[in-house]
Structures are given as C-alpha cells and as structure tokens.
Amino acid sequence: MGLKPNSALKASKTLFVLPSLFTFLLVGSQGENTAMDNVATERRAEESHRQDSANLLIFIMLLTLTILTIWLFKHRRFRFLHETGLAMIYGLLVGVILRFGVHVPRNMNNVTMNCSVNASPATLLVNVSGRFYEYTLKGEVSTVKGHDVQDDEMLRKVTFDPEVFFNILLPPIIFHAGYSLKRRHFFRNLGSILAYAFMGTVISSFVIGLVMYGCVTLMKAVGQLGGDFFFTDCLFFGAIVSATDPVTVLAIFNELKVDVDLYALMFGESVLNDAVAIVLSSSIGAYQPAGDNSHTFDATAMIKSFGVFLGVFSGSLALGVATGVMTALISFCFTKLRDFPLLETALFFLMSWSTFLLAEACEMTGVVAVLFCGMTQAHYTFNNLSPDSQDRTKQLFELLNFLAENFIFSYMGLTLFSFQSHVFNPLFIIGAFIAVFLGRAANIYPLSFLLNLGRKNKIGSNFQHVMMFAGLRGAMTFALSIRDTATYARQMMFSTTLLIVFFTVWVCGGGTTPMLSFMNCGCTAMVLQKSHAHFYVFEQVTVSDGTQHRNTKHESAWPFRIWYNFDNTYLKPLLTHSGPPLTATLPACCGPLARCLTSTQAYENEGHQHNDDSDELVLNDGNATMYGDVTVSTDASGTLTTNHKHLSASTMGITSEEALDQELAFGEHELVIRGTRLVLPMDDPPEPTVTLPPPPTSPPPFSDPFSDPFSDPFSDPRRNRL
Amino acid sequence: MGLKPNSALKASKTLFVLPSLFTFLLVGSQGENTAMDNVATERRAEESHRQDSANLLIFIMLLTLTILTIWLFKHRRFRFLHETGLAMIYGLLVGVILRFGVHVPRNMNNVTMNCSVNASPATLLVNVSGRFYEYTLKGEVSTVKGHDVQDDEMLRKVTFDPEVFFNILLPPIIFHAGYSLKRRHFFRNLGSILAYAFMGTVISSFVIGLVMYGCVTLMKAVGQLGGDFFFTDCLFFGAIVSATDPVTVLAIFNELKVDVDLYALMFGESVLNDAVAIVLSSSIGAYQPAGDNSHTFDATAMIKSFGVFLGVFSGSLALGVATGVMTALISFCFTKLRDFPLLETALFFLMSWSTFLLAEACEMTGVVAVLFCGMTQAHYTFNNLSPDSQDRTKQLFELLNFLAENFIFSYMGLTLFSFQSHVFNPLFIIGAFIAVFLGRAANIYPLSFLLNLGRKNKIGSNFQHVMMFAGLRGAMTFALSIRDTATYARQMMFSTTLLIVFFTVWVCGGGTTPMLSFMNCGCTAMVLQKSHAHFYVFEQVTVSDGTQHRNTKHESAWPFRIWYNFDNTYLKPLLTHSGPPLTATLPACCGPLARCLTSTQAYENEGHQHNDDSDELVLNDGNATMYGDVTVSTDASGTLTTNHKHLSASTMGITSEEALDQELAFGEHELVIRGTRLVLPMDDPPEPTVTLPPPPTSPPPFSDPFSDPFSDPFSDPRRNRL
C-alpha cells in the first residue's frame, strides 16, 4: 500500500477485446532477423492473450462462486449479508491472494526505449526503418528510484480500464433501475423524490465538501497532507460520495416488501441522485478553467459550472426520453412486429443501447440518458410489446443488471488489494465518515421537514431515520472515484471512498433489515404459493402503523395531476396500444385527426384494457410476481376478518381508489386496501400473523372483462370516464 | 481499392471499450506547459471517445434498420433474400457512403515521432523527462511515397480488430448452433456427419489448395502475381473457404421445414466443419517452422501439423464437454437453484463463457470448445434447469446469436468498401470460384457414394445436389480470412473470400428455396394455429419421395448404439434429473451406490418423465414450437386418410419406433409416421395437398401419464425396459 504515484490506471481493456493483433501484423516482413523477431513478438502476443483469458476467467469464476453462495444464502433465508456484500468479500479474498500469494515481476528491459520526446501524446507513430507503427498510450508506469521500472504484472493485469465501468457495466444497471421503477408510487411521490435527489444531493455535496475542506486544512496544519488538495477536490469528493446506490436499496427493500411509499422515496432518490452526482462531478471539473491552477473562488466559473450542469442534465434527459419515445413509435407503427418476439427484443435492446451511444456522441452523459430512456421505455414502449417480448426484455435486462452489479462489487473487493497506489490517511478517513454522515443528515432531515409542510401524507420520523441509515454508497460512487486516480488527492479520495462503500454495504446494508423491523416501517406476511408451472403468486399484505389516512387524489401535487391527465389523454393513446383510443380522449373537432392516429388495435383493446404498465408487471424478482389485492376488514374489537365483498368490488371494474373513497365514507374502523397497502385506522399495530384468505388462483367470481384485480389506479384510463 | 500494403488491421477495439484513459492520466502533471498540453490531450481524447461512440452508433443503426427490414420480409413472406444477405446489403450501402461520401484526412504530423528503434515490440515504454509512459502497438500505418503518412481516418475508425470476431462475436453464434442441434436426427446421422465434416473438409481443403496452387503458378507464369503466394498459403485458403456456414443453413432450412435427415446432415456438417476449418487453418500455420521461409514440403512439419490438429481439436472438445458436464453437475447437485431462475441463467451463461476463456487460456481453440460445450449443455444441463430457465437460456442465446450474426454480415458488406488494402485479381477470383465448386463436389459426391454403401437409409442424389448447392460460406470463413491481412497473399485471399461469401449467400442462399422444391426434398403442409397466448402449435407433415424404407434400429451405426445405451443407463441418470433413476439402471449389486447418487427428484420424475431433450423443445424459432406427430395412412388406391388409431398407439406409451415396426409388419401400403417424418411406400410421391386432421389441442384420448406424443424414440429410457 505504498504512496507511489499512479500506476493503477494501466487499463487492461485488452481483457475485453483480447487483441493479439500484432501477432499477425508482423508476419511476412523481410529478412532473417525480422522473421525471428516477429516470431518472438508473436509468442509474446499469444502469451499475453493466454494471460488475459486466464485473468478474465478469474472474474468469471468469482462470479460463479458468488452466485452459488447467493443461492445458498437465499435458500437458507440468511439476510444479514446482502449479495453485493458477498461479492465484495470474494473479491477481497482474491485480491489478497493476488497481492501476497502471486508475484510476477515484470521484465521491462527488453521493451524499454529511450525516446527524446517532450510530451506523451495519445497516439505515437514510430518509424522502424521506413515502416510506421502506431502506438496508443496505455498509461504511466510507476518508477522506483530513478530509471528502474518496477511493476507487478499480475496486479496490473487484473486492473480494468475505469471507463469499462462507465461504458459497459453502469449502463445496464442504470437502465434496469429506470425500467423497473415502481412507477405508480414513484409518480405519487415525484415532488419529494425530486427534492431529495436534486436539492438533497447538492446540499449533501456542499456539506461534505465544506467538512472535508476543514479536515484537509487541519491535516495541512498538522503536516499530515502529502500533496495538494484543493477546494474543488473537496467538492468533487462531496459529489461522488453523495450518490446513494439503487442496487442495494432495490434488492433489500424489494426482498423485504417494505412500505411502498418508503420504497418509492428511497429507490427514486437513489436512482435520480446517481444521475445528479455524475453530472455534478463533471460540472465541478468544468469549474476549473483550462490550465488554471489557481483553485480560487470564481463567480464566472461557478455560473459556468451551473450552466454545464443544467445543460448536460436536461440534454441527456431529453435524449433519453426522445429515443424511448422513438422506440415506442416504432413498436406502435410496426404492429405486426409483435409476431416476432426475437426481432422485437433485439430492436428494444439496440434502441436502448443507441441511447447511450447517442448521448456520448453528443457529449452528454450516457448513463443519465439511459436512465430516462429506461423510464420512458417502461412507461410507453413496454405496453406495445408482445407478452413474450415483455418477459424477454425484463429477463434480459435483469440478467445484465445482475451480472454487471456483481462484477462491480467483486471488483471493488479486489481493488482494495490490487490497486497499487492506495493512500490511506486516518485523519482523512475519519473526517470523510463524519462528513458523509453529516451530509446525509443535512439532506434528509431538513428536506423532510420542508416537504412535510406541503405533504398530506407526511414522511414519518421512522421513515426519515431509515432513509438516513439506508443511504448506501455503491457502484456509482466507486465508478466515479476510480475514473481518475492520477493525483495524490484523487488517490486518497479513491481509497477513502472504497472504505465508505465497504462500511455502508456491510454495516448499513446488513443492518437495514433489523432497522426496518425496529422502526416498524412495514412488516410483511408473505405466502408463496406455486399455482402452476412458471407462475408464482405472492399474496402480500403490508401492515404499517396506521397514523396516516391518505387520499390519493389530494396527495398528488398539482403539476403531477396536470401531467398525468395530459399523458393519459394524449401521449399514451398516441404512443401505445394500451390507452383509450384518441377518438375517445380528443375533443370532437379533432375527430378526423384522431381517427387517423389511432391504430385498430387500440379500438380492440378498448374493451379489455390490460394496464400493462401497472408496476406489478414491471417490477418482479425473477419470477412472474403478482401482488394480489386482498381486502381485510377489522371490526371495532380489532380482530381481523377478510372481507370478500371489497375484493369483489375491486374486481368489478371499480378501481381500488374509488373503492377506498367509498370505504372511507362507510366507517372509520373498517380496514381496507389500496394497492398493496393496508391502512390500519388505529394506533396499535395488529399482530403480523394475519390469516390470509385462500389465494385467488381460480378466476374471480365476477368475470367482467373490465375487471382487473391488479389495476393501477393511476394508470387506469377509465377513471376519466367514470 | 489500391494495392498498398496492410493498413486495415488498425483495430479500433476502442470501439468496444472506448477508453479515454489518457484523459485522466495526464491530469496533475507539474508545470504550465504540461498543464496546457494535458488539456489538449484531454480534448483529443474526448473527441476520440465522441467519435468512437458515433461510429458504433452507425453499426447499431445499421442493425436496427436490418431488423426492421427483416421483419418486413418475414411479414410479406419474401424468401428469396435471406436476412443475412440483407444485412450485407445495408453494410455495403454504408460502406459506399463512408468510402466516397465522407473523407476525413488524418493529421499525423502532430503525433509523429522519429525514434531510432530497430523493432516494433508489442509494448513500448517512452521516457518523457523522467516519467515512463506505456504504449501498446496498434498496427502498421500505410505509407505513400516515402515518409508521408496518409490514411483515411473515417475508414480506419470503422475497422474492428479482427480478434473481436473470434473473441466476442463467433462464440455466441457457435454456442447457439451447438445448443440448438436437432440432436435426435443428429445422432442418427452421426457417422455421415462426421465423415462430411472431417474427411470432407480435409478433402475439400486439399482440392482447393491444389487447384489454387495451379492457378497461382499460372498467374506467376503470366506475370499477374504481385507478390509471394506459397503452397501453404494455398492450403490455408482451402481450409478457410471449406467451412460452410451453419447460420444461413439453420435459418433457411428451419424456416422451410425440409426433410429432417437432410437438415441434420447439412446443419451437423456445417457446425462441425467450422470447428475443423478453424483448427485446420491454425495447424497449417504450424506447418511452417519458425523463421523458415522455405515453404517446401517437409514430412516432419506435416506430421507436426497433424499432431497439432489432433491435439488442439481433441483438447478443445474435451474442455468443452468437461465444463458442460460440470454445469450439469452443479445444476444437478444444487437442486434448489431451480427456485431462482435468474441465478440459474446467470450461472449457465457464466459457465458457458468460462469454457471459452478456459480453452483460450490453455491454448486450445475457444470456439471449438464452446461448440461442444453447447452440445453437452443441451444434452444434460438443459434437463436440470427449471422450465423458466430453459426458456431464458434459449432466448438469451438466440438473441446473442441473432445480434452477432447480423453484425458480422453487415460488417462484411461494409468491409468491401472500408477495407483499404483490397487485392482483386480476376484470374485468382475465377480460379477460386472454380476451386470452391470442385472442392465442395469432391467432398459431397464421393463421400456420399461411400457412405451409401454402408447406410441403410441412402442419401439420395437429390439430397446430394442440395448439399452441394447449399454449402454457403459465412461468418467463420470471413473471420478466418480477416484475421490476418498483412501479406499480399492474405490480402488477395481476403478480397476473394469476401466475393465468395457474397456470391454464396446471395445466389446460393436465395436459390435454396426454389432448389429444394425443384429437388423435391421435402415439402411441408404447415398449419399455424394459435391455441392460446404465447403458444403456437405447428402441425407438420413432411412428405418425401418414398424410395427409402428405414428401420431406426438398423440404420444406427453400432458405435452410436453402444454410446446411446451407455449414455442412457449411466450418464443421464448421473447428470440429469430426467433419466431413469440409477437404481433402475445399475445392476443390483451397485444398489447402495446408486441410491446414494440418485436425487429424490429423479424418483419423482420416474412416474412421468418429460424427455426434455427431445429436439422439439430445444430447437424452435422464437416461439414455443411443437411438431405434432400425425399419423396418415394410405390405402391401396393411394388416397390419404388419417389414421387415429396409430396416433392413439403412439400416445399410449409405445414409442413411435415400435409403432413403426408393428406397422411395417401389417402391410406395405400403409403410410406411417416416425418422428416428424412420413415414409411413403410408393414410387410416385402423393400430392402435397394433404388434408390434415384437426390439430390435437385437446388432450389425447388416452390420458396415460406415461404418454408423450412428442417423445423421442432415441432418448426414451423406457425402451430399455419394454
């Protein structure tokens, strides 16, 4: 763990492409010496390719091992260590072995050439007796004492190009997060989520930046600082550690079936603040003018940074939404594409990938574009896909997400030992942990207080504590911090960030389950029942402390309601087959236009709409998961009895929201369900041992074609007509 | 299309990894000049990344366009141009635009450095005022007139590292081919397939090599040859153009539902000869001793080459089978993994990928290992997977195969114009076409004659003509020829190979459909019926000219029968849950061992075995396709009537093979079915307008739990006990 400068960025991007290109290039040169030289080069290239394959194999084996252990944990219902934490442990073990077990010193002498060059350009042309060879810069090699080049070949080999994370591993993770957002609850809490994600992240960044600046100043006074650490570096550090991780939140909360609003707040915030953090950190880079090493406060640069932030964020958002809408339009226009799920899935995949590339080509942020593309795809395109393709796309992105996520986390563990330029500074690390804690607190508590002023459905203090506690740092923080480890400041940041990620994933992640039950944020009686092959029905009853009566209509902010109406009346019919036909939603004067834009399928669907976009259909955990709505009523004595009348009511085509409103009018002591949420109108939470009614595997008693027990009150277009 | 030497191998592997690594490496250097220089480098790196994204976007758009057009073609049932041919056309168009529309001259001056170096090693360390930078060789740059470096940046950018094909694109294609082999018919024709694939490919290689050597000698005499072209080059050319393409064969034949034996012969041959060709071509490389430019015949080198061929082939085969078996064992032991299809699928994917890496790390051929791994996975592992994972893995590899295949073919089209060192020599091209024709003929006709001596079920002359005609060259030929384009000989080979691929895909591929109906190789009355959501039942009756009576028992070669019995008695029960329990197959003395090795699930399955490995379940085209066995009988007058008695017989648990034997005993004029094949015992083929019975969507009349109308006579373990 020496302090020698950057040797870690020696990207083995070769691991991915495994080029033994030079093998062949040199074949066929003239002359005896050249031929022998070529053969030697060829052998080296083959050896390098072999080595690359072996190294990648290490990672694959690591992933395989992780999967088997994850299965074991899931099988034994062992919940205190999350799978990502597990992947990190395996990575750590392999890192230790590579670091202390294997040492392959590098023989540099036979390739070192002393060129009288003044700069190190990205591309170098070397003139070898009249023939030009092109070389690309791979990185700087650490030097020890003068001209001796020393390097651990093995550790260098298992180090990936940091850009691999941004261009290969993060996009599927972020896309999956967007694609699986619980949209109903997401939109219901949109205002709060945006507040936490935007204002909260900015607040957190500045708080952390300021605390760290204080810490760094102290370190400088004590003489503990081994290099430059500017204020912009502090802010940069604040930005990268402010991104909470959707991966772990999604996994833990989804498995535990917590309160859906808490889930929506946590997940929505962590998805969006990833996007905010990535743009924020690049804006801080733009704050520092080119070649200017002054690092002083500059109002112009500040405004410029702000402009960059806004421009890049909104540009990426627009791009993501645009390609999402385009995919929706393609799948809307080429209706018969539904007959070929393979083509449909391939198209969906390619369009989503092209979003990323398009954004990068336009100098936007690909990851942010992909996030909003995923959300748009889920909202519109998903409805146009054939059921087969819906499954396929979900499963494909689920798999990609799973592999990428576990790869990143096991790589994280590995890096703790394989990275050769760690700077562990105890003072800085302690300061960083305090700063992260303060930053998170400054994000959650004041904002929650402000939001509660406007919210009908208050964010309880237990929810706030959970949000404070479960703000894990993960893949995005890691990727942002490993992206640049050239300077002393960045190396210290990277090492500290790694520790923060480890701590939050292991301690906070592992402690989330007990924390949730302690805080009483929703406990779940879950009955897993195998109804027939391929299909599992989850009966879920979420019981929370019933201090909040809610009325969905009133709790939604007015901008959302306007948006919802606009979306439902115009966008959905225009882009999907699932909405009401435009002829029904547009005013009569637009009749001809509406008829022309409405597909025949929309008319067909009018009779029996699927509401394919209800979140239950998008969000599942590997199985076709469904959350059955079960109505449970309680009489005055507090004992629970199931109420089949309400179930019938909800299956009769009356949306559960309306049902709720009716129920609330009947009596205060009646316990009803809305969505997957059960609101108990009493202060004392009931025993969680709820006796469940038999699961509705048989068709509902009312076989009204309009009935859909899983209907989404927010996406149900029939509401407008009732 | 100039004749200037190699400039095409400038691999933009960067397109995959998009490294802007150097951006960050250089940040933080000391001094004013360095800072300015770094900023400039950073800008260049960003620009390069932007450009890379844009280029990759071109390919994605190309694929998107191809998919939409494929859909259009499928929708309009336009069959004369296959999708791969289409992808090539789009590639061609883009190539023309890039070649003649856009020209980005490269500014080389600011990066060229004249180093006094004598060799061009793979890695170069450059000493820039005390700091060491590592550079990797990218390729040689073509020079025009002395020291001026001229290059078309745009064309160079869209050129991929040829190793991308071998390490990223070919493996999923070949794995998919192995995973979807129609195994029943494959094993029935195993001997013939092996003969065609091994002996045939070697014969073809040598015939083509000899013809080309004659052609080259002629060219040298006429003065048409612009460089060296040795005999080993001729043999190498023979090896690479002898690989017929499974992609197009699979697609065309599967869509047309040709005779299953013809299908098995064609597909099996084309899959295996890819493996043979890749190992053969690398063995020819080994023929030439290191540094030896003599290119004369050498018996020792010949034997060495043969040894390399055998060693690499058998080693790769063993590796592939070993990891396949390991996956089967894992999924066999961790039975409860079935509850988590995501984990199961991820494990399956990773194990299959690790096969490739393991083979490459052991200096074997990854592609060959992946092929046999795919076959093993389909034979054993597939049976242990949950139904959900079976679907997922099939769909995943189908998608990967589809994307990789279309990418390769559109890249092929692009290369015709973007490759900057084409050598089109008319004489060589004509010679090559003749050689390819002769080589294929020397493979098919003599071998068929020899095989027919031993086969009960003769390979008809019409089949031979189809096999001759439909031997398309595709992805493997292209990948092998683009792998090395350094010398004049290799460049000429590459250009000629490209033309051969174009010709065979467009002309032969397009002509296969009329050819098949002209040759009367199986016409199909297909009824597509949508029984319920997601599920299509294909009723298929294949009518061929009925010159051949067959008896499955006798037509199988004895080595296969021994293998089949061994596999069925020991391997299947040991590795899968689908066979009979070991306790039933092992002799009584091994009772305790058998009980210990048999899972509880195998006992459960004993009652109602699935025969999951019947080929219908593996091979489908995006939908859950099933081929119903329908028995049609014909009376003496030749009119067709359906015979439901036989259908019942086959559903009563008696395998169709036994049914066949019984039927054959009853009368010669009765027409029966075996598998999906209908054997007509008369010389005059009946009218193809077969009246089909109503499809058996309702359960069969005999609801015996043992009955399985789709049972595979070869994989039915009950045969042993009847």
Side-chain angles (χ1 to χ4, degrees), chain A residues 16-49:
Chain A
F16 271 94
V17 184
L18 314 166
S20 40
L21 160 70
F22 21 83
T23 314
F24 307 102
L25 241 192
L26 299 171
V27 170
S29 302
Q30 307 92 331
E32 282 291 304
N33 282 332
T34 330
M36 294 313 272
D37 196 56
N38 287 345
V39 170
T41 312
E42 206 167 314
R43 287 231 180 92
R44 271 205 302 278
E46 261 168 29
E47 180 53 34
S48 153
H49 173 76

Side-chain angles (χ1 to χ4, degrees), chain A residues 344-413:
Chain A
E344 219 177 13
T345 311
L347 194 73
F348 188 90
F349 176 77
L350 290 177
M351 290 299 290
S352 306
W353 191 16
S354 67
T355 308
F356 177 82
L357 293 172
L358 192 65
E360 293 287 320
C362 298
E363 292 182 324
M364 299 289 165
T365 311
V367 174
V368 177
V370 152
L371 168 66
F372 291 101
C373 175
M375 289 167 65
T376 316
Q377 304 276 45
H379 197 59
Y380 299 116
T381 319
F382 189 79
N383 297 313
N384 294 340
L385 298 179
S386 63
D388 199 5
S389 295
Q390 291 180 345
D391 285 347
R392 280 174 181 229
T393 52
K394 271 188 293 180
Q395 291 170 357
L396 176 69
F397 285 106
E398 201 184 359
L399 181 71
L400 290 180
N401 168 65
F402 178 80
L403 291 176
E405 171 198 319
N406 280 291
F407 188 91
I408 289 192
F409 278 90
S410 58
Y411 186 72
M412 249 184 241

Side-chain angles (χ1 to χ4, degrees), chain B residues 45-173:
Chain B
E46 261 167 30
E47 178 54 33
S48 154
H49 174 75
R50 210 186 58 72
Q51 185 66 43
D52 286 343
S53 302
N55 290 332
L56 196 47
L57 197 61
I58 292 177
F59 282 99
I60 305 290
M61 286 294 139
L62 213 57
L63 283 183
T64 311
L65 211 63
T66 310
I67 288 172
L68 288 178
T69 325
I70 287 171
W71 162 76
L72 206 71
F73 275 35
K74 286 204 174 187
H75 182 53
R76 302 236 176 270
R77 300 182 184 283
F78 183 76
R79 286 234 176 87
F80 292 95
L81 184 60
H82 185 251
E83 57 192 61
T84 50
L86 200 71
M88 290 203 303
I89 290 178
Y90 278 121
L92 269 180
L93 291 178
V94 174
V96 169
I97 293 167
L98 289 184
R99 178 90 191 182
F100 302 107
V102 194
H103 189 78
V104 187
R106 193 183 195 188
N107 190 2
M108 282 289 188
N109 298 329
N110 58 349
V111 288
T112 310
M113 324 228 149
N114 278 309
C115 281
S116 51
V117 208
N118 296 322
S120 54
T123 314
L124 197 71
L125 278 186
V126 179
N127 183 345
V128 183
S129 51
R131 297 171 76 119
F132 284 86
Y133 291 93
E134 186 181 2
Y135 282 82
T136 43
L137 182 62
K138 215 174 163 193
E140 195 179 338
V141 180
S142 65
T143 48
V144 178
K145 282 172 206 145
H147 293 277
D148 272 13
V149 176
Q150 206 188 33
D151 197 13
D152 193 323
E153 179 79 4
M154 192 66 197
L155 296 184
R156 207 183 55 85
K157 277 273 185 187
V158 293
T159 306
F160 283 87
D161 183 349
E163 294 304 301
V164 164
F165 296 104
F166 279 89
N167 297 307
I168 293 174
L169 296 173
L170 275 186
I173 293 180

Side-chain angles (χ1 to χ4, degrees), chain A residues 628-650:
Chain A
D629 281 6
V630 180
T631 311
V632 185
S633 75
T634 168
D635 59 18
S637 66
T639 56
L640 290 163
T641 53
T642 55
N643 192 332
H644 281 285
K645 190 193 76 199
H646 302 150
L647 180 64
S648 317
S650 82

Side-chain angles (χ1 to χ4, degrees), chain B residues 606-640:
Chain B
E606 198 185 3
H608 39 93
Q609 281 160 14
H610 296 297
N611 282 310
D612 284 342
D613 62 339
S614 69
D615 47 14
E616 286 78 10
L617 281 168
V618 174
L619 184 83
N620 63 27
D621 197 3
N623 304 311
T625 312
M626 283 199 178
Y627 303 99
D629 281 4
V630 181
T631 310
V632 185
S633 75
T634 167
D635 58 18
S637 66
T639 55
L640 291 163

Side-chain angles (χ1 to χ4, degrees), chain A residues 104 131 220 306 321 384 528 627 633-634 648 663 676 692 711:
Chain A
V104 187
R131 297 170 78 121
K220 208 177 272 173
F306 191 70
V321 171
N384 294 340
L528 176 65
Y627 303 98
S633 75
T634 168
S648 317
E663 291 306 332
T676 56
L692 286 171
S711 72

Side-chain angles (χ1 to χ4, degrees), chain A residues 441-669:
Chain A
N443 171 356
I444 297 298
Y445 295 117
L447 277 183
S448 302
F449 176 77
L450 288 176
L451 287 171
N452 276 342
L453 294 181
R455 274 175 77 103
K456 283 265 155 59
N457 159 28
K458 308 288 185 214
I459 300 163
S461 63
N462 52 348
F463 280 19
Q464 293 177 28
H465 297 324
V466 170
M467 289 180 74
M468 168 79 206
F469 184 75
L472 311 187
R473 270 64 170 182
M476 182 59 80
T477 301
F478 173 77
L480 281 172
S481 68
I482 204 179
R483 197 171 199 175
D484 178 3
T485 51
T487 64
Y488 170 79
R490 293 290 162 95
Q491 284 160 14
M492 196 157 69
M493 273 185 219
F494 174 64
S495 306
T496 311
T497 304
L498 216 51
L499 293 182
I500 292 173
V501 173
F502 285 159
F503 181 82
T504 54
V505 169
W506 284 334
V507 178
C508 300
T512 304
T513 316
M515 172 93 179
L516 281 170
S517 56
F518 178 73
M519 285 296 176
N520 205 8
C521 289
C523 58
T524 299
M526 199 171 74
V527 178
L528 176 65
Q529 203 185 5
K530 197 169 182 175
S531 59
H532 54 93
H534 302 246
F535 199 69
Y536 296 83
V537 174
F538 281 91
E539 282 291 320
Q540 187 203 13
V541 181
T542 312
V543 184
S544 81
D545 60 339
T547 47
Q548 304 123 15
H549 287 267
R550 304 185 196 176
N551 190 326
T552 322
K553 271 183 186 153
H554 296 283
E555 79 184 316
S556 312
W558 60 266
F560 170 59
R561 266 176 287 149
I562 291 175
W563 158 251
Y564 171 74
N565 284 332
F566 177 74
D567 178 48
N568 198 52
T569 321
Y570 304 107
L571 291 184
K572 279 218 164 180
L574 208 61
L575 295 172
T576 75
H577 298 297
S578 73
L582 271 180
T583 40
T585 56
L586 278 183
C589 60
C590 306
L593 180 71
R595 263 191 296 280
C596 157
L597 287 172
T598 306
S599 67
T600 47
Q601 207 178 337
Y603 289 114
E604 286 166 23
N605 284 348
E606 198 184 3
H608 38 93
Q609 280 159 16
H610 297 297
N611 280 312
D612 285 340
D613 62 340
S614 70
D615 46 15
E616 286 79 8
L617 281 169
V618 173
L619 185 81
N620 64 29
D621 197 3
N623 305 311
T625 312
M626 280 201 178
Y627 303 98
D629 281 6
V630 180
T631 311
V632 185
S633 75
T634 168
D635 59 18
S637 66
T639 56
L640 290 163
T641 53
T642 55
N643 192 332
H644 281 285
K645 190 193 76 199
H646 302 150
L647 180 64
S648 317
S650 82
T651 57
M652 270 173 69
I654 305 168
T655 62
S656 41
E657 193 190 347
E658 261 97 359
L660 169 73
D661 294 347
Q662 289 169 18
E663 291 306 332
L664 286 173
F666 285 151
E668 210 188 351
H669 282 279

Side-chain angles (χ1 to χ4, degrees), chain B residues 488-524:
Chain B
Y488 170 79
R490 293 290 163 95
Q491 285 161 12
M492 196 156 71
M493 273 186 221
F494 174 64
S495 307
T496 310
T497 305
L498 217 51
L499 293 183
I500 291 173
V501 172
F502 286 159
F503 180 83
T504 54
V505 169
W506 284 334
V507 178
C508 300
T512 304
T513 316
M515 172 92 179
L516 281 169
S517 55
F518 179 73
M519 286 294 176
N520 204 11
C521 289
C523 59
T524 300

